[in-house]
Amino acid sequence: MRRNRTGRRSGRPLLRRKAKLGKLTTKTALFAYAGTFLTLLICDGIWLGLIARNFYRDQLGVLMLPSPNLAVGALFYLFFAAAVVVVLAVLPALSAGSIATAFAMVPF
């Protein structure tokens, strides 16, 4: 414990304090889902549409469909965003009260 000038304890040590990330509410979960969903769409749109478009076309060739199946893609993004929020990062970090938990859950 740290002590102030009078010799009294001044609270918990700085390194042991947990960040206050908020309560687990439906509003928090929906906000996290919407943010995750939009982030995934934007990042993947840039990746697939601008950066790696020719790479996938060259590598997959005849395996690619002439046009993407948007229904399957939409279903994937809905479930993947839910998995990121509920299982992989956001809600586990909120329930643990630590942002480090969110980073620990990310597979590298």
Side-chain angles (χ1 to χ4, degrees):
M1 292 283 173
R2 295 178 20 171
R3 297 186 182 271
N4 58 18
R5 287 192 275 182
T6 62
R8 293 184 179 174
R9 291 181 181 173
S10 62
R12 296 190 326 179
L14 291 176
L15 296 177
R16 290 191 173 180
R17 290 186 184 167
K18 288 186 176 180
K20 294 188 179 188
L21 297 176
K23 294 181 180 181
L24 291 174
T25 63
T26 304
K27 183 179 177 181
T28 303
L30 290 175
F31 186 72
Y33 181 80
T36 302
F37 186 75
L38 288 174
T39 302
L40 287 172
L41 282 179
I42 291 169
C43 290
D44 214 28
I46 292 170
W47 177 256
L48 293 174
L50 299 175
I51 297 172
R53 177 181 18 180
N54 294 331
F55 173 77
Y56 287 118
R57 193 175 297 140
D58 294 341
Q59 297 299 317
L60 296 176
V62 296
L63 295 175
M64 286 184 64
L65 294 174
S67 62
N69 189 341
L70 296 179
V72 173
L75 191 63
F76 167 78
Y77 282 108
L78 290 172
F79 281 112
F80 187 66
V84 168
V85 171
V86 175
V87 179
L88 296 176
V90 179
L91 293 183
L94 286 174
S95 64
S98 170
I99 197 163
T101 303
F103 291 114
M105 301 294 283
V106 176
F108 288 107

